Amino acid sequence: MALELIRVMLREQGAWCRLEAGDVFTVHVGWDQYVYVGSDRPCTDAVARTRELGLFAERLSASPYAAEPEVTEAADEGFWASVRTELATRQGLLLEETHIVNATRWHRLTTENLNTVRAGLGPRALLIVWPDLQPDVGAVLTALPSEWHIEFVWETKDGTIRDVTVDETQYQELAALVADARAARALSLYTDERGPLLQAVLPDSDGVLRARW
């Protein structure tokens, strides 16, 4: 089953996951379609065999797709107080509401709509707060990295917030897609480059945090 999952991921058919057996053996297939294999053994023979097959195995200290630390902070009143503090400084924020991995809703937060957005959030969602979208969409496009995948988030003319994952080969198509966008922001997909302002998980109505992220 693991082998079939890897094949599906490499065919870019939409599946994406981390295959892990504790700290013993891991396989990650990244957005870049590279395969990252981790083991508690040297794997000298496997590396040699890989090179015989015409592939280029490189030793890395860690996979860029290693699982992010589990979020255990509750989105309680203290969290929302921090959100209000950020709003007072920045005037606006971008809220990522995730129910399951790769199923996200986006909200632009202001002091005026914060309570309304908060009331409509789904139970046990993972909440990640980012700096607001930037109104100069052209500047965001110009600043995109020369390589690697990014998540591009933008607001359409009708106020809908959309996102798409692209790499450097798709920037021209992206520019056409967001030609009428009001505002946008590019977010890194790599753990060591992601720096949200705040993140927390919605507790249940009794205040207990039961969701695991």
Side-chain angles (χ1 to χ4, degrees), residues 15 18 24 35 52 63 71 79 89 95 99 107-108 118 122-123 133 138 141 144 147 151 161 169 179 181 212:
R18 302 179 179 96
V24 177
V35 181
E52 288 174 5
S63 165
V71 180
F79 169 80
T89 303
L95 176 66
H99 300 283
H107 312 273
R108 293 189 77 178
R118 180 179 173 183
L133 301 180
L141 289 168
L144 291 177
E147 58 181 15
E151 183 173 22
I161 301 179
T169 67
R212 295 190 60 183

Side-chain angles (χ1 to χ4, degrees), residues 14 16 25 27 30 35 42 47 63 70 76 100 103 111 127 132 142 144:
W16 190 85
F25 190 76
V27 179
V35 181
V47 171
S63 165
E70 183 177 354
D76 53 17
I100 58 173
T111 302
L127 306 179
D132 196 13
T142 301
L144 291 177

Side-chain angles (χ1 to χ4, degrees), residues 149-169:
H149 286 68
I150 56 98
E151 183 173 22
F152 197 89
V153 186
W154 76 98
E155 185 178 51
T156 64
K157 288 192 299 184
D158 63 3
T160 302
I161 301 179
R162 299 179 58 191
D163 70 296
V164 66
T165 299
V166 296
D167 64 17
E168 70 278 5
T169 67

Side-chain angles (χ1 to χ4, degrees), residues 100-142:
I100 58 173
V101 175
N102 295 334
T104 292
R105 291 197 302 176
W106 298 90
H107 312 273
R108 293 189 77 178
L109 297 180
T110 63
T111 302
E112 292 74 23
N113 75 358
L114 176 60
N115 290 335
T116 301
V117 172
R118 180 179 173 183
L121 296 174
R124 301 188 178 184
L126 172 64
L127 306 179
I128 304 178
V129 179
W130 302 95
D132 196 13
L133 301 180
Q134 299 171 252
D136 191 341
V137 179
V140 178
L141 289 168
T142 301

Side-chain angles (χ1 to χ4, degrees), residues 16-18 20 26-38 58-69 147-149 188-194:
W16 190 85
C17 63
R18 302 179 179 96
E20 302 184 352
T26 62
V27 179
H28 303 152
V29 178
W31 297 104
D32 49 18
Q33 301 301 296
Y34 284 14
V35 181
Y36 300 86
V37 180
E58 296 182 18
R59 184 177 297 278
L60 300 175
S61 59
S63 165
Y65 297 98
E68 299 178 21
E147 58 181 15
W148 306 114
H149 286 68
S188 174
L189 292 169
Y190 301 96
T191 303
D192 58 352
E193 296 178 3
R194 289 175 68 85

